[in-house]
Amino acid sequence: MIDPQSRGRRRRPRGSPLDHAPDAVRYARQNAGLTQEELAASLGLTRQRICDIERGRRNAPPELLEAMAARLDCPLVVLQAKPPADERPHRPHRAQN
């Protein structure tokens, strides 16, 4: 069996968090009026890789997210994964006068 580490690719451990929000990538692509194939071609990727990113099967590393945000003309933060609610910083609720 070939060790994936030996080919220079790092595999994300199964179940580890993604760097992107899959639904946000799909939404931004559709909002830009692009097909998976068109987005893939403009980024030098395969359509299958875009499909896997949108379904959460493959990770989109930060450098790819930056390129996708530029191509989709949307802020990078839209595509980035959001931390789970229990890991977000707590903001005290302000009392209204």
Coordinates of all heavy atoms in Angstrom, one line a residue:
M1 N 0.8 -1.2 0.0 CA 0.0 0.0 0.0 C 0.9 1.2 0.0 O 1.9 1.3 0.7 CB -0.9 0.0 1.2 CG -1.9 1.1 1.2 SD -3.2 0.7 2.4 CE -3.2 2.2 3.3
I2 N 0.5 2.2 -0.8 CA 1.3 3.5 -0.9 C 0.9 4.4 0.2 O -0.3 4.6 0.5 CB 1.0 4.2 -2.2 CG1 1.5 3.3 -3.4 CG2 1.7 5.5 -2.3 CD1 1.2 3.8 -4.7
D3 N 1.9 4.9 0.9 CA 1.7 5.9 2.0 C 1.4 7.2 1.4 O 2.2 7.8 0.6 CB 2.9 6.0 2.9 CG 2.8 7.0 4.0 OD1 1.7 7.4 4.3 OD2 3.8 7.3 4.6
P4 N 0.2 7.8 1.7 CA -0.2 9.1 1.1 C 0.8 10.2 1.5 O 1.0 11.2 0.7 CB -1.6 9.5 1.6 CG -2.0 8.4 2.5 CD -0.9 7.3 2.5
Q5 N 1.5 10.1 2.6 CA 2.4 11.1 3.1 C 3.7 11.1 2.2 O 4.3 12.1 2.0 CB 2.9 10.8 4.5 CG 1.8 10.8 5.5 CD 1.1 12.1 5.7 OE1 1.7 13.1 5.5 NE2 -0.2 12.1 6.0
S6 N 4.0 10.0 1.5 CA 5.2 9.9 0.7 C 5.0 10.6 -0.6 O 6.0 10.9 -1.2 CB 5.6 8.4 0.5 OG 4.6 7.8 -0.4
R7 N 3.8 10.9 -1.0 CA 3.6 11.6 -2.3 C 3.6 13.2 -2.1 O 3.4 13.9 -3.0 CB 2.3 11.2 -2.9 CG 2.3 9.8 -3.3 CD 1.1 9.5 -4.2 NE -0.1 10.0 -3.7 CZ -1.2 9.3 -3.5 NH1 -1.2 8.0 -3.6 NH2 -2.3 9.8 -3.1
G8 N 3.9 13.6 -0.9 CA 4.0 15.1 -0.7 C 2.6 15.7 -0.3 O 2.6 16.9 -0.1
R9 N 1.6 14.9 -0.3 CA 0.3 15.4 0.0 C 0.0 15.1 1.5 O 0.3 14.0 2.0 CB -0.8 14.8 -0.8 CG -0.9 15.3 -2.2 CD -2.1 14.9 -3.0 NE -2.9 13.9 -2.4 CZ -3.8 13.3 -3.1 NH1 -4.0 13.5 -4.3 NH2 -4.6 12.3 -2.5
R10 N -0.6 16.1 2.2 CA -1.0 15.9 3.5 C -2.5 15.6 3.5 O -3.3 16.3 3.0 CB -0.8 17.2 4.4 CG 0.4 17.2 5.2 CD 0.4 18.4 6.0 NE -0.5 19.4 5.5 CZ -0.8 20.6 6.0 NH1 -0.2 20.9 7.1 NH2 -1.6 21.4 5.5
R11 N -2.9 14.5 4.2 CA -4.3 14.2 4.3 C -4.8 14.7 5.6 O -4.2 14.7 6.6 CB -4.5 12.7 4.3 CG -4.2 12.1 2.9 CD -5.0 10.8 2.8 NE -4.7 10.2 1.5 CZ -5.6 10.3 0.5 NH1 -6.7 10.8 0.7 NH2 -5.3 9.7 -0.7
R12 N -6.0 15.3 5.5 CA -6.7 15.8 6.7 C -7.3 14.6 7.4 O -7.9 13.7 6.8 CB -7.9 16.7 6.2 CG -8.6 17.4 7.3 CD -9.7 18.3 6.7 NE -10.6 17.6 5.9 CZ -11.7 17.0 6.3 NH1 -12.0 16.9 7.6 NH2 -12.5 16.4 5.5
P13 N -7.0 14.5 8.7 CA -7.5 13.4 9.5 C -9.0 13.3 9.4 O -9.7 14.4 9.4 CB -7.1 13.6 10.9 CG -5.9 14.6 10.8 CD -6.2 15.4 9.6
R14 N -9.6 12.1 9.2 CA -11.0 11.9 9.1 C -11.7 12.6 10.3 O -11.3 12.4 11.4 CB -11.4 10.5 9.0 CG -12.8 10.2 8.6 CD -13.0 8.7 8.5 NE -12.2 8.1 7.4 CZ -12.7 8.0 6.2 NH1 -13.9 8.3 5.9 NH2 -11.9 7.5 5.2
G15 N -12.7 13.4 10.0 CA -13.5 14.0 11.1 C -12.9 15.3 11.6 O -13.5 16.0 12.4
S16 N -11.7 15.7 11.1 CA -11.2 17.0 11.5 C -11.9 18.1 10.8 O -12.5 18.0 9.7 CB -9.7 17.1 11.2 OG -9.4 17.1 9.9
P17 N -11.9 19.3 11.4 CA -12.7 20.4 10.8 C -12.1 20.9 9.5 O -11.0 20.8 9.2 CB -12.6 21.5 11.9 CG -11.5 21.1 12.8 CD -11.3 19.7 12.7
L18 N -13.0 21.4 8.7 CA -12.7 21.9 7.4 C -12.3 23.4 7.5 O -12.7 24.1 8.5 CB -13.9 21.9 6.4 CG -14.4 20.5 6.1 CD1 -15.7 20.5 5.4 CD2 -13.4 19.7 5.2
D19 N -11.5 23.9 6.6 CA -11.1 25.3 6.6 C -12.2 26.2 6.0 O -12.2 27.4 6.0 CB -9.8 25.6 5.8 CG -8.6 25.0 6.6 OD1 -8.6 25.0 7.8 OD2 -7.7 24.5 5.9
H20 N -13.2 25.5 5.3 CA -14.2 26.3 4.6 C -15.6 25.8 5.0 O -15.7 24.8 5.6 CB -14.0 26.1 3.1 CG -14.3 24.7 2.6 ND1 -13.5 23.6 2.8 CD2 -15.4 24.1 2.0 CE1 -14.0 22.5 2.4 NE2 -15.2 22.8 1.8
A21 N -16.6 26.6 4.6 CA -18.0 26.2 4.9 C -18.5 25.7 3.5 O -18.7 26.5 2.6 CB -18.8 27.5 5.3
P22 N -18.8 24.4 3.4 CA -19.2 23.9 2.1 C -20.4 24.6 1.5 O -20.4 24.9 0.3 CB -19.5 22.4 2.4 CG -18.6 22.1 3.5 CD -18.6 23.4 4.4
D23 N -21.4 24.8 2.3 CA -22.6 25.4 1.7 C -22.4 26.9 1.2 O -23.0 27.3 0.3 CB -23.8 25.5 2.8 CG -24.3 24.1 3.1 OD1 -24.1 23.2 2.2 OD2 -24.9 23.9 4.1
A24 N -21.5 27.6 1.9 CA -21.1 28.9 1.5 C -20.4 28.9 0.2 O -20.6 29.8 -0.6 CB -20.3 29.6 2.6
V25 N -19.5 27.9 0.0 CA -18.8 27.8 -1.3 C -19.8 27.6 -2.4 O -19.8 28.3 -3.5 CB -17.7 26.7 -1.3 CG1 -17.1 26.5 -2.7 CG2 -16.7 27.0 -0.3
R26 N -20.7 26.7 -2.3 CA -21.7 26.4 -3.3 C -22.6 27.7 -3.5 O -22.8 28.1 -4.7 CB -22.7 25.3 -2.9 CG -23.7 25.0 -3.9 CD -24.7 23.9 -3.5 NE -23.9 22.6 -3.3 CZ -23.8 22.0 -2.2 NH1 -24.3 22.5 -1.1 NH2 -23.1 20.9 -2.1
Y27 N -23.0 28.3 -2.5 CA -23.9 29.5 -2.6 C -23.1 30.6 -3.4 O -23.7 31.3 -4.3 CB -24.3 30.0 -1.2 CG -25.1 31.3 -1.3 CD1 -26.4 31.3 -1.6 CD2 -24.5 32.6 -1.1 CE1 -27.2 32.5 -1.7 CE2 -25.2 33.7 -1.2 CZ -26.5 33.7 -1.5 OH -27.2 34.9 -1.6
A28 N -21.9 30.9 -3.0 CA -21.1 31.9 -3.6 C -20.9 31.6 -5.1 O -21.0 32.5 -6.0 CB -19.8 32.1 -2.9
R29 N -20.6 30.4 -5.4 CA -20.4 30.0 -6.8 C -21.7 30.2 -7.6 O -21.7 30.8 -8.7 CB -20.0 28.5 -6.9 CG -19.9 28.0 -8.4 CD -19.6 26.6 -8.5 NE -20.5 25.7 -7.8 CZ -21.8 25.4 -8.3 NH1 -22.2 25.9 -9.4 NH2 -22.6 24.5 -7.7
Q30 N -22.8 29.7 -7.1 CA -24.1 29.9 -7.8 C -24.5 31.4 -7.9 O -25.0 31.8 -8.9 CB -25.2 29.2 -7.1 CG -25.1 27.7 -7.2 CD -26.0 26.9 -6.3 OE1 -26.6 27.4 -5.3 NE2 -26.2 25.6 -6.6
N31 N -24.2 32.2 -6.9 CA -24.5 33.6 -6.9 C -23.6 34.3 -7.9 O -24.1 35.3 -8.5 CB -24.2 34.2 -5.5 CG -24.8 35.6 -5.3 OD1 -26.0 35.8 -5.7 ND2 -24.0 36.5 -4.8
A32 N -22.4 33.8 -8.2 CA -21.5 34.4 -9.2 C -21.9 33.9 -10.6 O -21.4 34.4 -11.6 CB -20.1 34.0 -8.9
G33 N -22.9 33.0 -10.7 CA -23.4 32.5 -12.0 C -22.4 31.5 -12.7 O -22.4 31.4 -13.9
L34 N -21.7 30.8 -11.9 CA -20.7 29.9 -12.5 C -21.1 28.4 -12.2 O -21.7 28.1 -11.2 CB -19.3 30.1 -11.8 CG -18.6 31.4 -12.1 CD1 -17.3 31.5 -11.3 CD2 -18.4 31.6 -13.6
T35 N -20.8 27.6 -13.1 CA -20.9 26.1 -12.9 C -19.7 25.6 -12.2 O -18.7 26.3 -12.1 CB -21.1 25.4 -14.2 OG1 -19.8 25.5 -14.9 CG2 -22.2 25.9 -15.1
Q36 N -19.8 24.4 -11.6 CA -18.6 23.8 -11.0 C -17.5 23.7 -12.0 O -16.3 24.0 -11.6 CB -18.9 22.4 -10.4 CG -19.8 22.5 -9.2 CD -20.2 21.1 -8.7 OE1 -20.1 20.1 -9.5 NE2 -20.6 21.0 -7.5
E37 N -17.8 23.4 -13.2 CA -16.8 23.2 -14.2 C -16.1 24.6 -14.6 O -14.9 24.6 -14.7 CB -17.4 22.6 -15.5 CG -16.4 21.9 -16.4 CD -17.1 21.0 -17.4 OE1 -17.4 19.9 -17.0 OE2 -17.4 21.5 -18.5
E38 N -16.9 25.6 -14.7 CA -16.3 27.0 -15.0 C -15.4 27.4 -13.8 O -14.3 27.9 -14.1 CB -17.4 28.0 -15.2 CG -18.2 27.7 -16.5 CD -19.4 28.5 -16.6 OE1 -20.0 28.9 -15.5 OE2 -19.9 28.8 -17.7
L39 N -15.8 27.2 -12.6 CA -15.0 27.6 -11.4 C -13.7 26.8 -11.4 O -12.6 27.4 -11.2 CB -15.8 27.5 -10.1 CG -15.0 27.8 -8.8 CD1 -14.5 29.3 -8.9 CD2 -15.8 27.6 -7.6
A40 N -13.9 25.5 -11.6 CA -12.7 24.6 -11.6 C -11.7 25.1 -12.6 O -10.5 25.2 -12.4 CB -13.1 23.2 -11.8
A41 N -12.1 25.3 -13.8 CA -11.2 25.7 -14.9 C -10.5 27.0 -14.6 O -9.3 27.1 -14.9 CB -12.0 25.8 -16.3
S42 N -11.2 27.9 -14.0 CA -10.6 29.2 -13.7 C -9.6 29.1 -12.6 O -8.7 30.0 -12.5 CB -11.7 30.3 -13.4 OG -12.2 30.0 -12.1
L43 N -9.7 28.1 -11.8 CA -8.7 27.9 -10.7 C -7.7 26.8 -11.0 O -6.8 26.6 -10.2 CB -9.5 27.6 -9.4 CG -10.4 28.6 -8.9 CD1 -11.3 28.1 -7.8 CD2 -9.6 29.8 -8.4
G44 N -7.8 26.2 -12.2 CA -6.8 25.1 -12.5 C -7.1 23.8 -11.7 O -6.2 23.1 -11.4
L45 N -8.3 23.6 -11.4 CA -8.7 22.4 -10.7 C -9.7 21.5 -11.5 O -10.1 22.0 -12.6 CB -9.5 22.8 -9.4 CG -8.8 23.7 -8.4 CD1 -9.7 24.1 -7.3 CD2 -7.5 23.0 -7.8
T46 N -10.0 20.4 -11.0 CA -11.0 19.5 -11.7 C -12.4 19.9 -11.1 O -12.5 20.3 -10.0 CB -10.7 18.0 -11.5 OG1 -10.9 17.8 -10.1 CG2 -9.3 17.7 -12.0
R47 N -13.4 19.6 -11.9 CA -14.8 19.7 -11.5 C -15.0 18.9 -10.3 O -15.7 19.2 -9.3 CB -15.8 19.4 -12.6 CG -17.2 19.7 -12.2 CD -18.2 18.9 -13.0 NE -18.1 17.5 -12.9 CZ -18.5 16.8 -11.9 NH1 -19.1 17.3 -10.9 NH2 -18.3 15.5 -11.9
Q48 N -14.4 17.7 -10.2 CA -14.6 16.7 -9.1 C -14.1 17.3 -7.8 O -14.7 17.2 -6.8 CB -14.0 15.4 -9.4 CG -14.3 14.4 -8.3 CD -15.7 14.1 -8.2 OE1 -16.4 13.7 -9.2 NE2 -16.3 14.1 -7.0
R49 N -13.0 18.1 -7.9 CA -12.4 18.7 -6.7 C -13.4 19.7 -6.1 O -13.6 19.8 -4.9 CB -11.1 19.3 -7.0 CG -10.5 20.0 -5.8 CD -9.2 19.4 -5.3 NE -8.7 20.1 -4.1 CZ -7.6 20.7 -4.0 NH1 -6.8 20.8 -5.0 NH2 -7.2 21.3 -2.9
I50 N -14.0 20.6 -7.0 CA -14.9 21.6 -6.6 C -16.2 20.9 -6.0 O -16.7 21.3 -4.9 CB -15.4 22.5 -7.8 CG1 -14.1 23.3 -8.3 CG2 -16.5 23.4 -7.4 CD1 -13.5 24.2 -7.3
C51 N -16.6 19.8 -6.6 CA -17.8 19.1 -6.1 C -17.5 18.5 -4.7 O -18.3 18.7 -3.8 CB -18.1 17.9 -7.1 SG -19.5 16.9 -6.5
D52 N -16.3 18.0 -4.5 CA -15.9 17.4 -3.2 C -15.8 18.5 -2.2 O -16.2 18.3 -1.0 CB -14.6 16.7 -3.3 CG -14.7 15.3 -4.0 OD1 -15.9 14.9 -4.3 OD2 -13.7 14.8 -4.4
I53 N -15.3 19.7 -2.5 CA -15.2 20.8 -1.6 C -16.6 21.3 -1.2 O -16.9 21.5 0.0 CB -14.4 22.0 -2.2 CG1 -12.9 21.6 -2.3 CG2 -14.6 23.3 -1.5 CD1 -12.0 22.5 -3.1
E54 N -17.5 21.4 -2.2 CA -18.9 21.8 -1.9 C -19.6 20.8 -1.0 O -20.6 21.2 -0.3 CB -19.6 22.1 -3.2 CG -19.2 23.3 -3.9 CD -20.0 23.7 -5.1 OE1 -20.9 22.9 -5.5 OE2 -19.7 24.7 -5.7
R55 N -19.3 19.6 -1.1 CA -20.0 18.5 -0.3 C -19.2 18.2 1.0 O -19.7 17.4 1.8 CB -20.1 17.2 -1.1 CG -21.0 17.4 -2.3 CD -21.1 16.1 -3.1 NE -22.0 16.2 -4.2 CZ -23.1 15.6 -4.3 NH1 -23.5 14.8 -3.4 NH2 -23.9 15.8 -5.3
G56 N -18.1 18.9 1.2 CA -17.4 18.7 2.5 C -16.6 17.5 2.5 O -16.1 17.0 3.6
R57 N -16.3 16.8 1.4 CA -15.5 15.6 1.3 C -14.0 15.9 1.3 O -13.2 15.1 1.6 CB -15.9 14.8 0.2 CG -17.3 14.2 0.3 CD -17.6 13.2 -0.7 NE -17.6 13.8 -2.1 CZ -18.5 13.6 -3.0 NH1 -19.6 12.9 -2.7 NH2 -18.5 14.2 -4.1
R58 N -13.7 17.1 0.7 CA -12.3 17.6 0.6 C -12.2 18.9 1.2 O -13.1 19.7 1.2 CB -11.8 17.6 -0.8 CG -11.9 16.3 -1.6 CD -10.7 15.7 -2.0 NE -9.5 16.4 -2.2 CZ -8.8 16.4 -3.3 NH1 -9.2 15.9 -4.4 NH2 -7.6 17.0 -3.3
N59 N -11.0 19.2 1.8 CA -10.8 20.5 2.4 C -10.3 21.5 1.3 O -9.6 21.1 0.4 CB -9.7 20.4 3.5 CG -9.6 21.7 4.3 OD1 -10.6 22.3 4.6 ND2 -8.4 22.0 4.7
A60 N -10.6 22.8 1.5 CA -10.1 23.8 0.7 C -9.1 24.6 1.6 O -9.6 25.3 2.5 CB -11.2 24.8 0.2
P61 N -7.8 24.4 1.4 CA -6.9 25.1 2.3 C -7.0 26.6 2.1 O -7.5 27.1 1.1 CB -5.5 24.6 1.8 CG -5.8 24.0 0.5 CD -7.2 23.6 0.4
P62 N -6.4 27.4 3.0 CA -6.5 28.9 3.0 C -6.1 29.5 1.7 O -6.8 30.4 1.2 CB -5.6 29.3 4.2 CG -5.6 28.2 5.1 CD -5.7 26.9 4.3
E63 N -5.0 29.0 1.1 CA -4.6 29.6 -0.2 C -5.6 29.4 -1.3 O -5.8 30.3 -2.1 CB -3.2 29.2 -0.7 CG -2.4 28.0 -0.3 CD -2.5 27.2 0.9 OE1 -2.5 27.7 2.0 OE2 -2.6 26.0 0.7
L64 N -6.3 28.3 -1.3 CA -7.3 28.0 -2.3 C -8.5 28.8 -2.0 O -9.2 29.4 -2.9 CB -7.6 26.5 -2.4 CG -8.8 26.1 -3.3 CD1 -8.5 26.6 -4.8 CD2 -9.0 24.6 -3.3
L65 N -8.9 29.0 -0.7 CA -10.0 29.8 -0.4 C -9.8 31.3 -0.8 O -10.8 31.9 -1.3 CB -10.2 29.8 1.1 CG -11.0 28.6 1.7 CD1 -11.2 28.7 3.2 CD2 -12.3 28.4 1.0
E66 N -8.6 31.8 -0.7 CA -8.3 33.1 -1.1 C -8.5 33.3 -2.6 O -9.1 34.2 -3.1 CB -6.9 33.5 -0.8 CG -6.7 33.7 0.7 CD -5.3 34.0 1.1 OE1 -4.4 34.3 0.2 OE2 -5.0 33.9 2.3
A67 N -8.1 32.3 -3.4 CA -8.2 32.3 -4.9 C -9.7 32.2 -5.2 O -10.2 32.9 -6.1 CB -7.4 31.2 -5.5
M68 N -10.4 31.4 -4.5 CA -11.9 31.2 -4.8 C -12.6 32.5 -4.5 O -13.5 32.9 -5.2 CB -12.5 30.0 -3.9 CG -12.0 28.7 -4.4 SD -12.5 27.4 -3.3 CE -14.0 26.9 -4.1
A69 N -12.3 33.1 -3.3 CA -13.0 34.4 -3.0 C -12.8 35.4 -4.0 O -13.7 36.1 -4.4 CB -12.5 34.8 -1.6
A70 N -11.5 35.5 -4.5 CA -11.2 36.5 -5.6 C -12.0 36.2 -6.8 O -12.6 37.1 -7.4 CB -9.7 36.5 -5.8
R71 N -12.0 34.9 -7.2 CA -12.7 34.6 -8.5 C -14.2 34.7 -8.3 O -14.9 35.1 -9.3 CB -12.4 33.1 -8.8 CG -13.1 32.6 -10.0 CD -12.7 33.4 -11.3 NE -13.5 32.9 -12.4 CZ -14.6 33.5 -12.9 NH1 -15.1 34.6 -12.3 NH2 -15.2 33.1 -14.0
L72 N -14.8 34.5 -7.1 CA -16.2 34.6 -6.9 C -16.6 36.0 -6.5 O -17.8 36.3 -6.3 CB -16.7 33.6 -5.9 CG -16.4 32.1 -6.2 CD1 -16.7 31.2 -5.0 CD2 -17.3 31.7 -7.4
D73 N -15.7 36.9 -6.4 CA -15.9 38.3 -6.0 C -16.7 38.4 -4.7 O -17.8 39.0 -4.6 CB -16.6 39.0 -7.1 CG -16.6 40.5 -6.9 OD1 -15.6 41.0 -6.3 OD2 -17.5 41.2 -7.4
C74 N -16.2 37.7 -3.7 CA -16.9 37.7 -2.4 C -15.8 37.8 -1.3 O -14.7 37.4 -1.5 CB -17.8 36.5 -2.2 SG -17.0 35.0 -1.9
P75 N -16.2 38.3 -0.1 CA -15.2 38.4 0.9 C -14.7 37.0 1.4 O -15.5 36.1 1.4 CB -15.9 39.1 2.1 CG -17.1 39.7 1.4 CD -17.5 38.9 0.2
L76 N -13.5 36.9 1.7 CA -12.9 35.6 2.1 C -13.7 35.0 3.3 O -14.0 33.8 3.4 CB -11.4 35.7 2.5 CG -10.7 34.5 3.1 CD1 -10.7 33.4 2.1 CD2 -9.3 34.9 3.4
V77 N -14.1 35.9 4.3 CA -14.7 35.5 5.5 C -16.0 34.7 5.2 O -16.5 33.9 6.0 CB -15.0 36.6 6.4 CG1 -16.0 37.6 5.9 CG2 -15.4 36.2 7.8
V78 N -16.7 35.0 4.0 CA -17.9 34.3 3.7 C -17.6 32.8 3.5 O -18.5 32.0 3.8 CB -18.5 34.9 2.4 CG1 -19.6 34.1 1.8 CG2 -19.0 36.3 2.7
L79 N -16.5 32.5 2.9 CA -16.2 31.1 2.6 C -15.5 30.3 3.7 O -15.5 29.1 3.7 CB -15.2 31.0 1.4 CG -15.7 31.7 0.1 CD1 -14.7 31.6 -1.0 CD2 -17.1 31.2 -0.4
Q80 N -15.0 31.0 4.7 CA -14.3 30.4 5.8 C -15.2 29.7 6.7 O -16.4 30.1 6.9 CB -13.4 31.4 6.6 CG -12.3 31.9 5.8 CD -11.5 33.0 6.5 OE1 -12.1 33.8 7.2 NE2 -10.2 33.0 6.3
A81 N -14.7 28.6 7.3 CA -15.6 27.8 8.3 C -15.8 28.7 9.5 O -14.9 29.5 9.9 CB -14.8 26.5 8.7
K82 N -16.9 28.6 10.1 CA -17.3 29.3 11.3 C -17.1 28.3 12.5 O -17.4 27.2 12.4 CB -18.7 29.8 11.3 CG -19.2 30.5 10.0 CD -18.3 31.6 9.6 CE -18.8 32.3 8.4 NZ -18.2 31.9 7.1
P83 N -16.5 28.8 13.6 CA -16.3 27.9 14.7 C -17.7 27.5 15.3 O -18.6 28.3 15.2 CB -15.5 28.8 15.8 CG -15.8 30.2 15.3 CD -16.1 30.2 13.9
P84 N -17.7 26.3 15.9 CA -19.0 25.9 16.5 C -19.4 26.9 17.6 O -18.6 27.6 18.2 CB -18.7 24.6 17.1 CG -17.4 24.1 16.4 CD -16.7 25.3 16.0
A85 N -20.7 27.0 17.9 CA -21.2 28.0 18.8 C -20.6 27.9 20.2 O -20.3 28.9 20.8 CB -22.7 27.8 18.9
D86 N -20.2 26.7 20.6 CA -19.6 26.5 21.9 C -18.2 27.0 22.0 O -17.6 27.1 23.0 CB -19.8 25.1 22.5 CG -19.1 24.1 21.6 OD1 -18.9 24.4 20.4 OD2 -18.9 23.0 22.1
E87 N -17.5 27.2 20.8 CA -16.2 27.7 20.8 C -16.0 29.2 20.4 O -15.0 29.7 20.4 CB -15.4 26.9 19.7 CG -15.2 25.5 20.1 CD -14.4 24.7 19.1 OE1 -13.7 25.3 18.2 OE2 -14.5 23.4 19.0
R88 N -17.2 29.8 20.2 CA -17.1 31.3 19.8 C -16.9 32.1 21.1 O -17.4 31.7 22.2 CB -18.4 31.7 19.2 CG -18.6 31.1 17.8 CD -19.9 31.6 17.1 NE -20.1 30.8 15.9 CZ -21.3 30.5 15.5 NH1 -22.3 31.0 16.0 NH2 -21.4 29.8 14.4
P89 N -16.2 33.2 21.0 CA -16.0 34.0 22.2 C -17.3 34.5 22.7 O -18.2 34.9 21.9 CB -15.1 35.2 21.7 CG -14.9 35.0 20.2 CD -15.6 33.7 19.8
H90 N -17.4 34.6 24.0 CA -18.7 35.0 24.6 C -18.7 36.5 24.6 O -17.7 37.2 25.0 CB -18.8 34.5 26.0 CG -20.0 35.0 26.8 ND1 -21.3 34.6 26.4 CD2 -20.1 35.9 27.8 CE1 -22.1 35.3 27.2 NE2 -21.4 36.0 28.1
R91 N -19.8 37.1 24.2 CA -20.0 38.5 24.2 C -21.1 38.8 25.2 O -22.2 38.3 25.0 CB -20.4 39.1 22.9 CG -19.3 39.0 21.8 CD -19.7 39.7 20.6 NE -18.7 39.6 19.6 CZ -18.9 40.0 18.3 NH1 -20.0 40.6 18.0 NH2 -17.9 39.8 17.5
P92 N -20.8 39.6 26.2 CA -21.8 39.9 27.2 C -23.0 40.7 26.5 O -22.8 41.5 25.6 CB -21.1 40.8 28.2 CG -19.7 41.0 27.8 CD -19.5 40.2 26.5
H93 N -24.2 40.3 26.9 CA -25.4 40.9 26.4 C -25.5 42.3 27.0 O -25.4 42.5 28.2 CB -26.6 40.1 26.7 CG -27.8 40.6 26.0 ND1 -28.0 40.3 24.7 CD2 -28.9 41.3 26.4 CE1 -29.2 40.8 24.3 NE2 -29.7 41.4 25.3
R94 N -25.6 43.3 26.1 CA -25.8 44.7 26.6 C -27.2 45.0 27.0 O -28.1 44.7 26.2 CB -25.4 45.7 25.5 CG -23.9 45.6 25.3 CD -23.5 46.7 24.3 NE -22.1 46.6 23.9 CZ -21.4 47.6 23.4 NH1 -22.0 48.7 23.2 NH2 -20.2 47.4 23.1
A95 N -27.4 45.5 28.1 CA -28.8 45.9 28.5 C -29.2 47.2 27.7 O -28.4 48.1 27.5 CB -28.8 46.2 30.0
Q96 N -30.4 47.1 27.3 CA -30.9 48.3 26.6 C -31.6 49.3 27.5 O -32.3 48.8 28.5 CB -31.9 47.9 25.5 CG -31.2 47.1 24.4 CD -32.1 46.8 23.2 OE1 -33.3 47.2 23.2 NE2 -31.6 46.2 22.2
N97 N -31.4 50.5 27.3 CA -32.0 51.6 28.2 C -33.4 51.9 27.8 O -33.8 52.0 26.8 CB -31.1 52.8 28.2 CG -29.7 52.5 28.8 OD1 -29.6 51.6 29.6 ND2 -28.7 53.3 28.5

